Amino acid sequence: MTDRLSRQLAFLSEADRLKSVLRANPLCDASRRENSGEHSWHIALYALVLSDHAAPEVRIDRVIRMLLLHDLVEIDVGDTPIHGSHDPQATAKAEAEAANRIFGLLPPDQATTLRTLWEEFEAGETPDAIFARAIDRVQPVMQNLASGGGTWRDFAVTSDQLDARVGTKIERGAPQLWAHVRSLTRRYFDAPAR
Amino acid sequence: MTDRLSRQLAFLSEADRLKSVLRANPLCDASRRENSGEHSWHIALYALVLSDHAAPEVRIDRVIRMLLLHDLVEIDVGDTPIHGSHDPQATAKAEAEAANRIFGLLPPDQATTLRTLWEEFEAGETPDAIFARAIDRVQPVMQNLASGGGTWRDFAVTSDQLDARVGTKIERGAPQLWAHVRSLTRRYFDAPAR
Ligand SMILES: [Ca+2]
Protein backbone atom coordinates (compact mmCIF):
# COMPACT_ATOMS: atom_id res chain seq x y z
CA MET A 1 0.00 0.00 0.00
CA THR A 2 2.83 2.40 0.80
CA ASP A 3 4.44 1.94 -2.61
CA ARG A 4 1.06 2.42 -4.28
CA LEU A 5 0.41 5.59 -2.32
CA SER A 6 3.93 6.90 -2.97
CA ARG A 7 3.35 6.53 -6.70
CA GLN A 8 -0.02 8.26 -6.50
CA LEU A 9 1.47 11.18 -4.59
CA ALA A 10 4.43 11.42 -6.99
CA PHE A 11 1.96 11.70 -9.89
CA LEU A 12 -0.07 14.36 -8.05
CA SER A 13 3.04 16.42 -7.29
CA GLU A 14 4.12 16.18 -10.91
CA ALA A 15 0.64 17.36 -11.96
CA ASP A 16 1.29 20.57 -10.01
CA ARG A 17 3.55 21.67 -12.86
CA LEU A 18 0.50 22.13 -15.12
CA LYS A 19 -0.15 25.36 -13.18
CA SER A 20 3.01 26.78 -14.76
CA VAL A 21 2.03 26.00 -18.36
CA LEU A 22 0.64 29.16 -19.95
CA ARG A 23 -2.12 29.13 -22.54
CA ALA A 24 -2.59 31.71 -25.28
CA ASN A 25 -5.91 33.08 -23.98
CA PRO A 26 -6.29 35.59 -21.13
CA LEU A 27 -8.41 35.57 -18.00
CA CYS A 28 -11.79 37.31 -18.42
CA ASP A 29 -10.41 40.52 -16.88
CA ALA A 30 -7.39 40.43 -19.24
CA SER A 31 -5.05 40.73 -16.24
CA ARG A 32 -2.83 37.85 -17.38
CA ARG A 33 -2.73 34.70 -19.49
CA GLU A 34 -4.53 31.62 -18.20
CA ASN A 35 -2.59 28.56 -17.08
CA SER A 36 -3.57 25.03 -18.01
CA GLY A 37 -4.27 23.97 -14.40
CA GLU A 38 -6.89 26.61 -13.72
CA HIS A 39 -8.24 26.14 -17.27
CA SER A 40 -8.79 22.45 -16.46
CA TRP A 41 -10.76 23.40 -13.35
CA HIS A 42 -12.83 25.93 -15.24
CA ILE A 43 -13.85 23.57 -18.03
CA ALA A 44 -14.76 20.84 -15.53
CA LEU A 45 -17.12 23.39 -13.96
CA TYR A 46 -18.38 24.30 -17.46
CA ALA A 47 -19.20 20.64 -18.11
CA LEU A 48 -21.08 20.38 -14.81
CA VAL A 49 -23.12 23.55 -15.39
CA LEU A 50 -23.76 23.03 -19.11
CA SER A 51 -24.65 19.35 -18.85
CA ASP A 52 -28.19 20.00 -20.11
CA HIS A 53 -26.68 20.88 -23.50
CA ALA A 54 -25.06 17.44 -23.88
CA ALA A 55 -26.54 14.57 -25.88
CA PRO A 56 -28.67 12.28 -23.67
CA GLU A 57 -26.13 9.45 -23.71
CA VAL A 58 -23.31 11.63 -22.36
CA ARG A 59 -22.18 10.75 -18.84
CA ILE A 60 -21.13 14.05 -17.33
CA ASP A 61 -19.00 12.59 -14.56
CA ARG A 62 -16.89 10.75 -17.15
CA VAL A 63 -16.59 14.00 -19.10
CA ILE A 64 -15.41 15.77 -15.96
CA ARG A 65 -12.80 13.07 -15.28
CA MET A 66 -11.60 13.40 -18.87
CA LEU A 67 -11.33 17.17 -18.63
CA LEU A 68 -9.42 17.00 -15.34
CA LEU A 69 -6.61 15.06 -17.00
CA HIS A 70 -6.86 16.05 -20.66
CA ASP A 71 -4.07 18.66 -20.50
CA LEU A 72 -1.53 16.86 -18.31
CA VAL A 73 0.65 16.07 -21.33
CA GLU A 74 1.24 19.82 -21.65
CA ILE A 75 3.63 19.54 -18.69
CA ASP A 76 6.14 18.14 -21.20
CA VAL A 77 4.84 19.53 -24.48
CA GLY A 78 3.33 22.92 -23.62
CA ASP A 79 0.03 24.26 -24.88
CA THR A 80 -0.63 24.25 -28.63
CA PRO A 81 -2.63 27.40 -29.43
CA ILE A 82 -5.66 26.71 -31.66
CA HIS A 83 -4.96 29.76 -33.79
CA GLY A 84 -1.18 29.23 -34.02
CA SER A 85 0.57 27.04 -36.60
CA HIS A 86 2.00 23.67 -35.64
CA ASP A 87 2.67 20.20 -37.04
CA PRO A 88 -0.23 17.99 -35.83
CA GLN A 89 1.70 14.73 -36.29
CA ALA A 90 4.75 15.93 -34.37
CA THR A 91 2.50 17.27 -31.59
CA ALA A 92 0.59 13.97 -31.36
CA LYS A 93 3.85 12.01 -31.12
CA ALA A 94 5.28 14.28 -28.42
CA GLU A 95 2.00 14.13 -26.46
CA ALA A 96 1.96 10.32 -26.59
CA GLU A 97 5.48 10.24 -25.17
CA ALA A 98 4.46 12.71 -22.46
CA ALA A 99 1.46 10.50 -21.60
CA ASN A 100 3.81 7.51 -21.25
CA ARG A 101 5.98 9.39 -18.80
CA ILE A 102 3.32 11.19 -16.77
CA PHE A 103 0.63 8.50 -16.45
CA GLY A 104 3.51 6.03 -15.98
CA LEU A 105 4.21 7.60 -12.59
CA LEU A 106 0.97 6.06 -11.29
CA PRO A 107 0.45 2.47 -10.09
CA PRO A 108 0.09 0.37 -13.29
CA ASP A 109 -3.70 -0.18 -13.03
CA GLN A 110 -4.38 3.53 -12.65
CA ALA A 111 -1.85 4.43 -15.32
CA THR A 112 -3.80 2.27 -17.76
CA THR A 113 -7.23 3.57 -16.70
CA LEU A 114 -6.34 7.25 -16.88
CA ARG A 115 -4.29 6.94 -20.04
CA THR A 116 -7.16 5.13 -21.74
CA LEU A 117 -9.50 7.96 -20.74
CA TRP A 118 -7.02 10.51 -22.13
CA GLU A 119 -6.80 8.57 -25.40
CA GLU A 120 -10.59 8.56 -25.63
CA PHE A 121 -10.56 12.35 -25.26
CA GLU A 122 -7.84 12.71 -27.87
CA ALA A 123 -9.62 10.45 -30.38
CA GLY A 124 -12.80 12.50 -29.97
CA GLU A 125 -15.14 9.81 -31.22
CA THR A 126 -17.32 8.76 -28.28
CA PRO A 127 -20.26 10.95 -27.14
CA ASP A 128 -18.41 11.76 -23.89
CA ALA A 129 -15.24 12.82 -25.75
CA ILE A 130 -17.18 14.83 -28.33
CA PHE A 131 -18.92 16.79 -25.58
CA ALA A 132 -15.69 17.18 -23.60
CA ARG A 133 -13.95 18.61 -26.67
CA ALA A 134 -16.82 21.03 -27.29
CA ILE A 135 -16.53 22.30 -23.71
CA ASP A 136 -12.73 22.61 -24.01
CA ARG A 137 -13.26 24.81 -27.09
CA VAL A 138 -16.09 26.99 -25.88
CA GLN A 139 -14.40 28.23 -22.70
CA PRO A 140 -11.57 30.14 -24.46
CA VAL A 141 -14.19 31.72 -26.74
CA MET A 142 -15.93 33.10 -23.66
CA GLN A 143 -12.57 34.25 -22.23
CA ASN A 144 -11.76 36.08 -25.48
CA LEU A 145 -15.20 37.71 -25.58
CA ALA A 146 -14.98 38.85 -21.96
CA SER A 147 -11.45 40.22 -22.31
CA GLY A 148 -12.10 42.18 -25.51
CA GLY A 149 -10.61 39.89 -28.15
CA GLY A 150 -7.82 37.90 -26.51
CA THR A 151 -6.19 35.45 -28.92
CA TRP A 152 -8.39 36.64 -31.82
CA ARG A 153 -6.55 39.95 -31.70
CA ASP A 154 -3.15 38.32 -31.12
CA PHE A 155 -3.48 35.97 -34.09
CA ALA A 156 -5.66 38.26 -36.29
CA VAL A 157 -8.45 35.69 -36.43
CA THR A 158 -11.56 36.35 -38.55
CA SER A 159 -15.10 35.31 -37.74
CA ASP A 160 -15.04 32.72 -40.52
CA GLN A 161 -11.76 31.26 -39.24
CA LEU A 162 -13.26 31.00 -35.77
CA ASP A 163 -16.32 29.21 -37.15
CA ALA A 164 -14.09 26.75 -39.06
CA ARG A 165 -11.43 26.08 -36.41
CA VAL A 166 -13.55 26.15 -33.28
CA GLY A 167 -17.25 26.47 -34.09
CA THR A 168 -17.48 23.16 -35.96
CA LYS A 169 -16.11 21.34 -32.92
CA ILE A 170 -18.40 23.05 -30.44
CA GLU A 171 -21.38 22.50 -32.73
CA ARG A 172 -20.62 18.80 -32.97
CA GLY A 173 -20.85 18.29 -29.21
CA ALA A 174 -23.27 21.03 -28.17
CA PRO A 175 -25.18 22.54 -31.14
CA GLN A 176 -27.53 24.76 -29.09
CA LEU A 177 -24.60 26.10 -27.13
CA TRP A 178 -22.74 27.02 -30.30
CA ALA A 179 -25.84 28.67 -31.83
CA HIS A 180 -25.98 30.96 -28.80
CA VAL A 181 -22.25 31.61 -28.51
CA ARG A 182 -21.99 32.25 -32.25
CA SER A 183 -24.54 35.06 -31.91
CA LEU A 184 -22.16 36.60 -29.36
CA THR A 185 -19.02 36.13 -31.48
CA ARG A 186 -20.80 37.54 -34.58
CA ARG A 187 -21.69 40.63 -32.58
CA TYR A 188 -18.04 40.97 -31.51
CA PHE A 189 -16.64 40.57 -35.02
CA ASP A 190 -19.30 42.84 -36.57
CA ALA A 191 -18.70 45.70 -34.13
CA PRO A 192 -17.29 48.69 -36.08
CA ALA A 193 -15.30 50.02 -33.10
CA ARG A 194 -12.98 47.01 -32.89
CA MET B 1 -33.42 28.28 -23.32
CA THR B 2 -31.51 31.43 -24.16
CA ASP B 3 -32.15 33.01 -20.77
CA ARG B 4 -31.15 29.77 -19.05
CA LEU B 5 -27.93 29.59 -21.06
CA SER B 6 -27.17 33.28 -20.48
CA ARG B 7 -27.40 32.72 -16.73
CA GLN B 8 -25.18 29.64 -16.93
CA LEU B 9 -22.55 31.54 -18.91
CA ALA B 10 -22.72 34.53 -16.54
CA PHE B 11 -22.05 32.18 -13.61
CA LEU B 12 -19.13 30.56 -15.46
CA SER B 13 -17.57 33.95 -16.31
CA GLU B 14 -17.93 35.04 -12.68
CA ALA B 15 -16.24 31.79 -11.61
CA ASP B 16 -13.18 32.89 -13.62
CA ARG B 17 -12.39 35.33 -10.81
CA LEU B 18 -11.45 32.43 -8.52
CA LYS B 19 -8.18 32.26 -10.51
CA SER B 20 -7.24 35.63 -8.99
CA VAL B 21 -7.81 34.58 -5.36
CA LEU B 22 -4.45 33.74 -3.80
CA ARG B 23 -4.02 31.06 -1.18
CA ALA B 24 -1.36 31.03 1.53
CA ASN B 25 0.48 27.94 0.25
CA PRO B 26 2.98 27.91 -2.63
CA LEU B 27 3.26 25.75 -5.74
CA CYS B 28 5.50 22.69 -5.30
CA ASP B 29 8.44 24.53 -6.91
CA ALA B 30 7.91 27.53 -4.58
CA SER B 31 7.81 29.84 -7.63
CA ARG B 32 4.65 31.60 -6.46
CA ARG B 33 1.53 31.24 -4.30
CA GLU B 34 -1.24 28.99 -5.53
CA ASN B 35 -4.59 30.41 -6.62
CA SER B 36 -7.92 28.90 -5.62
CA GLY B 37 -8.92 28.01 -9.20
CA GLU B 38 -5.89 25.82 -9.89
CA HIS B 39 -6.11 24.46 -6.31
CA SER B 40 -9.68 23.33 -7.05
CA TRP B 41 -8.48 21.48 -10.15
CA HIS B 42 -5.62 19.86 -8.29
CA ILE B 43 -7.75 18.52 -5.45
CA ALA B 44 -10.35 17.17 -7.88
CA LEU B 45 -7.49 15.21 -9.46
CA TYR B 46 -6.34 14.16 -5.96
CA ALA B 47 -9.83 12.78 -5.25
CA LEU B 48 -9.83 10.84 -8.51
CA VAL B 49 -6.38 9.34 -7.96
CA LEU B 50 -6.74 8.68 -4.22
CA SER B 51 -10.25 7.21 -4.41
CA ASP B 52 -9.05 3.84 -3.11
CA HIS B 53 -8.36 5.52 0.26
CA ALA B 54 -12.00 6.58 0.66
CA ALA B 55 -14.58 4.71 2.72
CA PRO B 56 -16.53 2.22 0.57
CA GLU B 57 -19.73 4.29 0.63
CA VAL B 58 -18.02 7.39 -0.79
CA ARG B 59 -19.11 8.33 -4.32
CA ILE B 60 -16.03 9.86 -5.89
CA ASP B 61 -17.85 11.68 -8.68
CA ARG B 62 -19.96 13.52 -6.09
CA VAL B 63 -16.78 14.34 -4.19
CA ILE B 64 -15.25 15.75 -7.38
CA ARG B 65 -18.32 17.88 -8.05
CA MET B 66 -18.15 19.19 -4.48
CA LEU B 67 -14.46 20.03 -4.78
CA LEU B 68 -14.96 21.85 -8.09
CA LEU B 69 -17.30 24.35 -6.45
CA HIS B 70 -16.25 24.32 -2.79
CA ASP B 71 -14.10 27.46 -3.03
CA LEU B 72 -16.31 29.67 -5.23
CA VAL B 73 -17.39 31.75 -2.23
CA GLU B 74 -13.76 32.93 -1.97
CA ILE B 75 -14.44 35.19 -4.96
CA ASP B 76 -16.18 37.49 -2.47
CA VAL B 77 -14.56 36.47 0.81
CA GLY B 78 -10.98 35.50 -0.07
CA ASP B 79 -9.11 32.48 1.21
CA THR B 80 -8.98 31.85 4.96
CA PRO B 81 -5.53 30.38 5.75
CA ILE B 82 -5.74 27.32 8.02
CA HIS B 83 -2.80 28.53 10.10
CA GLY B 84 -3.90 32.17 10.28
CA SER B 85 -6.30 33.60 12.86
CA HIS B 86 -9.87 34.47 11.93
CA ASP B 87 -13.39 34.63 13.39
CA PRO B 88 -15.14 31.41 12.25
CA GLN B 89 -18.66 32.82 12.74
CA ALA B 90 -17.98 35.98 10.76
CA THR B 91 -16.34 33.91 8.01
CA ALA B 92 -19.31 31.53 7.84
CA LYS B 93 -21.75 34.43 7.58
CA ALA B 94 -19.77 36.15 4.83
CA GLU B 95 -19.44 32.87 2.93
CA ALA B 96 -23.20 32.22 3.11
CA GLU B 97 -23.84 35.68 1.63
CA ALA B 98 -21.27 35.01 -1.09
CA ALA B 99 -23.00 31.70 -1.87
CA ASN B 100 -26.33 33.54 -2.22
CA ARG B 101 -24.84 35.94 -4.71
CA ILE B 102 -22.67 33.56 -6.73
CA PHE B 103 -24.92 30.48 -6.99
CA GLY B 104 -27.81 32.93 -7.45
CA LEU B 105 -26.40 33.81 -10.87
CA LEU B 106 -27.44 30.35 -12.10
CA PRO B 107 -30.93 29.26 -13.23
CA PRO B 108 -32.91 28.62 -10.00
CA ASP B 109 -32.88 24.80 -10.20
CA GLN B 110 -29.11 24.69 -10.64
CA ALA B 111 -28.57 27.37 -8.01
CA THR B 112 -30.36 25.14 -5.51
CA THR B 113 -28.56 21.95 -6.55
CA LEU B 114 -25.06 23.41 -6.43
CA ARG B 115 -25.66 25.44 -3.30
CA THR B 116 -26.96 22.33 -1.53
CA LEU B 117 -23.83 20.46 -2.55
CA TRP B 118 -21.67 23.32 -1.23
CA GLU B 119 -23.58 23.28 2.07
CA GLU B 120 -23.00 19.54 2.36
CA PHE B 121 -19.26 20.15 1.92
CA GLU B 122 -19.31 22.93 4.50
CA ALA B 123 -21.22 20.85 7.06
CA GLY B 124 -18.70 18.02 6.66
CA GLU B 125 -20.98 15.30 7.97
CA THR B 126 -21.72 12.95 5.07
CA PRO B 127 -19.12 10.38 3.95
CA ASP B 128 -18.65 12.29 0.67
CA ALA B 129 -18.07 15.60 2.46
CA ILE B 130 -15.74 14.04 5.03
CA PHE B 131 -13.56 12.57 2.28
CA ALA B 132 -13.71 15.80 0.25
CA ARG B 133 -12.54 17.78 3.27
CA ALA B 134 -9.69 15.33 3.90
CA ILE B 135 -8.53 15.78 0.30
CA ASP B 136 -8.81 19.56 0.54
CA ARG B 137 -6.52 19.43 3.59
CA VAL B 138 -3.93 16.97 2.37
CA GLN B 139 -3.01 18.78 -0.83
CA PRO B 140 -1.53 21.90 0.87
CA VAL B 141 0.47 19.58 3.16
CA MET B 142 2.05 18.03 0.06
CA GLN B 143 2.66 21.50 -1.43
CA ASN B 144 4.37 22.63 1.78
CA LEU B 145 6.52 19.49 1.90
CA ALA B 146 7.57 19.84 -1.75
CA SER B 147 8.37 23.54 -1.46
CA GLY B 148 10.45 23.25 1.71
CA GLY B 149 7.99 24.40 4.37
CA GLY B 150 5.56 26.84 2.73
CA THR B 151 2.94 28.10 5.17
CA TRP B 152 4.49 26.16 8.08
CA ARG B 153 7.47 28.49 7.87
CA ASP B 154 5.33 31.59 7.26
CA PHE B 155 3.11 30.93 10.28
CA ALA B 156 5.75 29.18 12.48
CA VAL B 157 3.63 26.03 12.69
CA THR B 158 4.79 23.09 14.84
CA SER B 159 4.31 19.42 14.10
CA ASP B 160 1.75 19.13 16.91
CA GLN B 161 -0.21 22.12 15.60
CA LEU B 162 -0.27 20.54 12.16
CA ASP B 163 -1.56 17.26 13.62
CA ALA B 164 -4.31 19.11 15.52
CA ARG B 165 -5.42 21.59 12.86
CA VAL B 166 -5.05 19.45 9.76
CA GLY B 167 -4.16 15.87 10.63
CA THR B 168 -7.37 15.15 12.53
CA LYS B 169 -9.43 16.17 9.50
CA ILE B 170 -7.39 14.13 7.03
CA GLU B 171 -7.46 11.15 9.37
CA ARG B 172 -11.23 11.32 9.66
CA GLY B 173 -11.75 10.97 5.89
CA ALA B 174 -8.69 8.98 4.86
CA PRO B 175 -6.85 7.37 7.82
CA GLN B 176 -4.32 5.37 5.77
CA LEU B 177 -3.48 8.44 3.74
CA TRP B 178 -2.82 10.46 6.89
CA ALA B 179 -0.68 7.69 8.43
CA HIS B 180 1.57 7.84 5.37
CA VAL B 181 1.62 11.64 5.02
CA ARG B 182 2.27 12.04 8.74
CA SER B 183 5.42 9.95 8.39
CA LEU B 184 6.55 12.50 5.79
CA THR B 185 5.62 15.55 7.87
CA ARG B 186 7.34 14.07 10.97
CA ARG B 187 10.50 13.64 8.92
CA TYR B 188 10.26 17.28 7.80
CA PHE B 189 9.70 18.66 11.32
CA ASP B 190 12.37 16.41 12.85
CA ALA B 191 15.07 17.41 10.36
CA PRO B 192 17.84 19.27 12.24
CA ALA B 193 18.79 21.39 9.22
CA ARG B 194 15.47 23.22 9.02
CA1 LIG C 1 -7.38 22.03 -23.48
Side-chain angles (χ1 to χ4, degrees):
Chain A
M1 185 49 125
T2 296
D3 179 57
R4 180 172 180 81
L5 184 47
S6 295
R7 295 188 72 133
Q8 292 168 331
L9 293 174
F11 169 83
L12 289 166
S13 289
E14 181 69 16
D16 191 65
R17 295 174 61 200
L18 194 60
K19 301 166 190 169
S20 301
V21 174
L22 289 186
R23 295 170 46 81
N25 64 269
L27 299 190
C28 285
D29 67 3
S31 57
R32 62 170 172 82
R33 284 165 66 191
E34 187 181 47
N35 73 58
S36 293
E38 62 200 6
H39 163 75
S40 297
W41 162 71
H42 205 185
I43 58 175
L45 194 64
Y46 261 73
L48 179 57
V49 167
L50 297 177
S51 57
D52 46 5
H53 304 281
E57 65 269 34
V58 168
R59 287 167 289 176
I60 286 298
D61 290 312
R62 277 192 93 242
V63 170
I64 290 172
R65 289 176 177 225
M66 239 178 234
L67 291 173
L68 290 174
L69 53 81
H70 85 292
D71 269 344
L72 284 170
V73 293
E74 294 183 2
I75 290 169
D76 288 357
V77 178
D79 178 55
T80 307
I82 296 165
H83 301 296
S85 61
H86 66 102
D87 173 351
Q89 282 199 316
T91 302
K93 185 166 179 291
E95 289 187 346
E97 282 165 15
N100 287 344
R101 184 187 76 77
I102 296 164
F103 294 118
L105 296 170
L106 285 164
D109 62 309
Q110 287 191 307
T112 302
T113 303
L114 297 197
R115 201 206 151 104
T116 303
L117 199 57
W118 173 74
E119 285 171 357
E120 182 180 334
F121 175 87
E122 283 296 305
E125 288 163 2
T126 63
D128 290 352
I130 290 168
F131 186 67
R133 293 174 76 88
I135 290 295
D136 186 37
R137 296 299 171 122
V138 80
Q139 183 260 5
V141 171
M142 299 309 296
Q143 305 286 114
N144 280 347
L145 279 171
S147 62
T151 55
W152 302 331
R153 274 182 198 276
D154 300 339
F155 293 95
V157 175
T158 67
S159 186
D160 287 345
Q161 285 173 332
L162 180 68
D163 290 352
R165 292 175 191 164
V166 174
T168 49
K169 281 153 193 162
I170 301 173
E171 190 168 35
R172 190 163 172 230
Q176 290 174 317
L177 178 61
W178 176 239
H180 178 77
V181 171
R182 187 165 187 272
S183 73
L184 305 177
T185 62
R186 281 281 157 183
R187 197 184 308 158
Y188 166 83
F189 283 103
D190 288 347
R194 262 198 324 123
Chain B
M1 185 48 126
T2 297
D3 179 58
R4 181 173 179 82
L5 184 47
S6 296
R7 296 188 73 134
Q8 291 168 332
L9 293 173
F11 169 84
L12 290 166
S13 289
E14 182 69 15
D16 191 66
R17 294 174 60 200
L18 194 61
K19 301 167 190 169
S20 301
V21 174
L22 288 186
R23 294 169 48 82
N25 65 269
L27 299 191
C28 286
D29 67 2
S31 56
R32 62 170 172 83
R33 284 166 65 192
E34 187 181 47
N35 74 58
S36 293
E38 62 199 5
H39 164 75
S40 297
W41 162 71
H42 205 184
I43 59 175
L45 193 66
Y46 262 71
L48 179 58
V49 167
L50 298 177
S51 58
D52 46 5
H53 304 281
E57 65 269 33
V58 169
R59 288 167 289 176
I60 286 299
D61 290 312
R62 277 192 93 242
V63 170
I64 290 172
R65 288 176 177 225
M66 239 178 235
L67 291 173
L68 290 175
L69 53 81
H70 84 293
D71 269 345
L72 284 171
V73 294
E74 294 184 2
I75 290 169
D76 288 357
V77 178
D79 178 55
T80 307
I82 297 165
H83 301 296
S85 60
H86 66 102
D87 174 351
Q89 282 198 316
T91 301
K93 186 168 178 292
E95 289 186 346
E97 282 165 15
N100 287 343
R101 184 187 77 75
I102 296 164
F103 293 120
L105 296 170
L106 285 164
D109 61 308
Q110 287 191 308
T112 302
T113 304
L114 296 197
R115 202 207 151 103
T116 303
L117 199 58
W118 173 74
E119 285 171 355
E120 181 180 336
F121 175 87
E122 282 296 304
E125 290 163 359
T126 63
D128 290 351
I130 290 167
F131 186 67
R133 292 174 77 87
I135 291 295
D136 186 37
R137 295 298 172 123
V138 81
Q139 183 260 6
V141 170
M142 299 309 297
Q143 304 286 113
N144 280 347
L145 279 171
S147 61
T151 56
W152 303 330
R153 273 183 198 275
D154 300 339
F155 294 94
V157 175
T158 67
S159 186
D160 287 346
Q161 286 173 332
L162 180 68
D163 290 353
R165 292 175 190 166
V166 173
T168 49
K169 282 154 193 162
I170 301 173
E171 191 168 35
R172 188 161 173 231
Q176 290 175 317
L177 177 60
W178 176 239
H180 178 77
V181 172
R182 187 167 187 272
S183 72
L184 305 178
T185 62
R186 282 280 156 184
R187 197 184 307 159
Y188 166 83
F189 283 103
D190 288 347
R194 259 197 327 123

